[in-house]
Amino acid sequence: MKALQDKIIKDGKVLSAEVLKVDSFLNHQIDPELMQQIGQEFADLYKDAGLTKIVTIESSGIAPAVMAGLILGIPVVFARKRKSVTLTDNFYSAEVYSFTKQVSSDISVSKDFLNKDDVVLIIDDFLANGEAAKGLLSIVEQAGATTSGIGIVIEKGFQPGGQALRDQGHRVDSLAIISSLENGKVQFA
Ligand code: 5GP
């Protein structure tokens, strides 16, 4: 997606050969216009998939997911990273190892918002080792629902998550795929 690539080049900061910081438009401050374009892109890709729900993970997946949900006219459910007192034992959960925080944590989704009749698009901001996507896939599976695909805003193609998910037969649609962050430079696949 050209507008996203341009934005990454203009405002992204390469923190290391592995980490890209995009907190001026996606991870902290949010660019609503770009999010709307991203949502439209996901909506176009999945308009015939018979989706009933989008599932994402807090917090950075929410903005692109809501935009896609708005255009497709379906609800957006986000997995919570912290246990809420209002989430009693009525939830699906999975353990996710965080690439950026380097700790494992449980994510959970209430059983009220996902069931076996749902057809789901999973959306997340980044794809690195695929841990977050794996956790979300597990939650959809626990609900007996169907995952139609995985929509990613920025995939780091030099890390193994995307390949592993595709090898498992999942449909993965990434709007920007970075092939390298070496020498402080962003290169696209
Ligand atoms: P994975 O679970 O695929 O290993 O990593 C994806 C998750 O880690 C995303 O939800 C995102 O929050 C975070 N992440 C991974 N790599 C990056 C990165 O280069 N930059 C930022 N800002 N977040 C990342």
Side-chain angles (χ1 to χ4, degrees):
M1 185 184 160
K2 173 87 168 64
L4 175 60
Q5 287 195 354
D6 290 348
K7 191 73 169 173
I8 291 169
I9 295 294
K10 186 167 162 277
D11 293 334
K13 296 200 168 55
V14 178
L15 288 194
S16 70
E18 254 131 47
V19 180
L20 176 71
K21 190 169 175 173
V22 289
D23 63 353
S24 68
F25 63 92
L26 180 58
N27 290 144
H28 192 8
Q29 176 172 259
I30 292 172
D31 179 335
E33 213 174 297
L34 181 65
M35 288 310 120
Q36 190 178 32
Q37 290 174 283
I38 285 170
Q40 186 69 59
E41 200 80 13
F42 285 134
D44 290 346
L45 285 165
Y46 284 87
K47 62 180 188 308
D48 300 321
L51 299 179
T52 63
K53 232 156 251 186
I54 293 175
V55 171
T56 186
I57 182 166
E58 67 174 350
S59 49
S60 295
I62 296 176
V66 166
M67 290 300 184
L70 178 68
I71 296 160
L72 289 165
I74 55 174
V76 177
V77 181
F78 66 89
R80 291 184 164 181
K81 287 180 179 161
R82 287 161 293 277
K83 271 203 189 107
S84 159
V85 287
T86 59
L87 271 181
T88 50
D89 57 355
N90 187 40
F91 56 81
Y92 310 110
S93 70
E95 193 180 70
V96 169
Y97 181 79
S98 164
F99 176 80
T100 42
K101 301 197 180 83
Q102 310 214 321
V103 291
S104 287
S105 60
D106 286 328
I107 62 167
S108 46
V109 167
S110 168
K111 289 183 179 174
D112 291 342
F113 303 126
L114 211 51
N115 66 63
K116 63 174 177 43
D117 298 323
D118 280 317
V119 180
V120 171
L121 169 63
I122 289 172
I123 287 185
D124 202 9
D125 60 339
F126 269 90
L127 177 58
N129 293 322
E131 290 290 316
K134 258 195 289 179
L136 293 172
L137 281 165
S138 165
I139 280 177
V140 174
E141 195 182 305
Q142 288 169 48
T146 306
T147 298
S148 180
I150 301 165
I152 298 292
V153 180
I154 304 171
E155 174 178 346
K156 289 179 294 176
F158 56 89
Q159 289 173 314
Q163 186 67 45
L165 291 166
R166 291 181 183 100
D167 286 349
Q168 285 162 23
H170 295 293
R171 175 178 173 187
V172 181
D173 291 289
S174 301
L175 303 189
I177 302 184
I178 291 173
S179 58
S180 165
L181 292 173
E182 296 288 336
N183 306 314
K185 258 197 75 162
V186 180
Q187 272 175 335
F188 295 103

